[in-house]
Amino acid sequence: MTSTTPTPTGRTGTVKIAFIGAGSVVFTQGLLADLLAFPELRRIHVALHDIDPERLATAEGAARHIAATRGAEPEITAHLDRRAALDGADFVINTVQIGMNAATRTDFDIPARYGLRQTIGDTLGVGGIFRALRTFPLLRALADDIAELCPDAWLLNYTNPMAMNVMYLARATPLRRVVGLCHSVYWTVRDLADLLDVPYEEISYQAAGVNHQAWVLRFERAGQSLYPLLDDAIAKDPQLLRRVRVDMYRRLGYYPTETSEHSSEYVPWYLHHDSEVERLRLPIGTYLDIIEENTAEYVRTRDALAAGSPLPVEGTMEYAPQVVHSIVTGTPRTVYGNVPNHGLIDNLPAEAAVEVPCLVDSLGVQPTRVGALPPQCAALNRAYASANDLVVRAAVEGEPRHIRHAAMTDPATAAALPVERIWDLCDDLVRAHADLLQPELREVLGH
């Protein structure tokens, strides 16, 4: 881009991309590797923001290394002040995790004392509820800054719980150029292609639903369904039956778009039963191992940069770089995005955040209307969306009872605990996270 090129927001100058939460260094590196691989994006302005000075410095060092490796010449700036990073941005990529590892451990440790099992805890259930409630104040402040400093920017959200965050942004802020991006649909189809030994490039597919619980509605090669081939593969390999999402596919008829660890948390059938945990090899608390590995990977990256021998970084095939490239250049693409429903899926609530195919070109992100989901899939998605709605209402209305209502509505929590224990658990989590919650939600209610 030259200095006189109109940007997607109508400015004249260099396309500016603000990374909020850039201290998620490994993820930031992957996104930058993809962005700077596009010839048209090699002179962008990358504005990195994080509240942790060490992580911010590491992200800046990694960004400069990637630029040199890619042969790109971006302007790279690092900011402890979020507003400076946002000023004049055309795109804002949000990867913030409020409370970091300590808060995540709390989300697992306290429910475990109640006998409540979780695997990932970042989307639904009590883990997802309290991660959302910690994140909403940041989203409100971020939206206010965007509205003032870069009102025409696209906010590309990666922070979980995706559906709750997108729903909150739609209800509580003036932002409308918002899309939540997640790689689960893409990698689900990639994994199925590998399982069936069919080239990914020869597969056509359509998925829709809610984030981490969407459904592969069409799965075809040359106009023929690949589901019979998947059925054959399952019949030949009994070990495939020991996966939650294979079990769900066999019973529901459509393959879910998230891992078995994730999928087990959004339904009442698996985690509460010892026999199912064993049969389906469910790794209780596995996200605690993941966050430790993420921290170790950050340390390796930081130390390698300091030693002058940075680690190699490969592209990630994430959607955000593709969205940026399509909007900047007009190159049409289809990605999967999380957006307010507003008639996209007939049998889900109008205000739910849904995951659907989206056309992206110079006009922006344009969601595709899917119509009605199969009723058995929509029924599960509606339970998910109902819990989301109550969490967002808790924040928007300042109503702490809705936190408990959301936990009562959540399928896995309701299957595991009697209602009084659900309220006790919510009280304990409110106490533990009080400093990160908006003031109206810090009240301990008892029974």
Side-chain angles (χ1 to χ4, degrees), residues 117-182:
R117 292 165 168 161
Q118 298 178 98
T119 51
I120 305 295
D122 71 351
T123 300
L124 210 59
V126 291
I129 290 169
F130 281 88
R131 181 178 284 239
L133 295 172
R134 295 194 300 271
T135 305
F136 290 165
L138 175 278
L139 293 179
R140 173 71 72 93
L142 176 62
D144 288 345
D145 286 347
I146 291 173
E148 177 185 350
L149 299 167
C150 51
D152 295 321
W154 279 94
L155 173 57
L156 310 180
N157 180 68
Y158 275 103
T159 295
N160 283 320
M162 179 66 70
M164 293 188 208
N165 289 340
V166 170
M167 183 184 287
Y168 178 82
L169 285 163
R171 289 193 193 174
T173 80
L175 300 188
R176 292 300 173 259
R177 288 187 165 189
V178 176
V179 60
L181 300 174
C182 175

Side-chain angles (χ1 to χ4, degrees), residues 31-238:
L31 294 176
L32 285 172
D34 286 344
L35 281 164
L36 298 179
F38 290 115
E40 300 91 340
L41 302 180
R42 289 181 178 173
R43 294 180 181 272
I44 58 176
H45 177 184
V46 175
L48 305 169
H49 163 68
D50 203 273
I51 61 174
D52 183 320
E54 179 192 279
R55 280 184 170 266
L56 181 60
T58 302
E60 181 182 6
R64 296 191 184 283
H65 165 67
I66 292 165
T69 301
R70 289 287 196 237
E73 298 180 355
E75 178 184 356
I76 298 172
T77 57
H79 309 271
L80 290 169
D81 177 4
R82 181 178 68 227
R83 290 173 58 84
L86 290 172
D87 192 15
D90 298 286
F91 300 92
V92 179
I93 298 177
N94 179 42
T95 61
V96 167
Q97 181 182 347
I98 302 299
M100 296 293 287
N101 291 2
T104 300
R105 287 195 171 280
T106 297
D107 286 342
F108 277 83
D109 291 346
I110 292 178
R113 295 178 205 153
Y114 283 76
L116 183 61
R117 292 165 168 161
Q118 298 178 98
T119 51
I120 305 295
D122 71 351
T123 300
L124 210 59
V126 291
I129 290 169
F130 281 88
R131 181 178 284 239
L133 295 172
R134 295 194 300 271
T135 305
F136 290 165
L138 175 278
L139 293 179
R140 173 71 72 93
L142 176 62
D144 288 345
D145 286 347
I146 291 173
E148 177 185 350
L149 299 167
C150 51
D152 295 321
W154 279 94
L155 173 57
L156 310 180
N157 180 68
Y158 275 103
T159 295
N160 283 320
M162 179 66 70
M164 293 188 208
N165 289 340
V166 170
M167 183 184 287
Y168 178 82
L169 285 163
R171 289 193 193 174
T173 80
L175 300 188
R176 292 300 173 259
R177 288 187 165 189
V178 176
V179 60
L181 300 174
C182 175
H183 54 218
S184 61
V185 172
Y186 171 80
W187 284 113
T188 291
V189 178
R190 273 282 186 184
D191 290 345
L192 286 173
D194 291 343
L195 175 65
L196 302 183
D197 196 24
V198 175
Y200 172 79
E201 294 73 20
E202 296 180 11
I203 295 176
S204 299
Y205 61 93
Q206 182 192 58
V210 292
N211 182 239
H212 291 173
Q213 198 189 59
W215 313 94
V216 181
L217 303 175
R218 298 182 64 182
F219 180 45
E220 301 173 359
R221 178 173 59 174
Q224 298 295 312
S225 175
L226 288 169
Y227 269 135
L229 196 59
L230 177 58
D231 294 338
D232 291 342
I234 293 170
K236 292 174 183 175
D237 184 358

Side-chain angles (χ1 to χ4, degrees), residues 303-376:
D303 294 348
L305 284 165
S309 56
L311 301 171
V313 176
E314 298 180 356
T316 62
M317 299 300 294
E318 289 287 349
Y319 285 139
Q322 299 175 55
V323 170
V324 171
H325 182 261
S326 287
I327 293 177
V328 170
T329 67
T331 304
R333 285 186 177 84
T334 297
V335 304
Y336 277 80
N338 293 271
V339 294
N341 188 11
H342 297 168
L344 299 171
I345 298 178
D346 293 342
N347 47 357
L348 292 185
E351 293 187 342
V354 296
E355 190 163 54
V356 295
C358 299
L359 168 67
V360 191
D361 59 18
S362 60
L363 298 179
V365 180
Q366 302 154 69
T368 299
R369 184 178 181 277
V370 174
L373 295 178
Q376 67 275 26

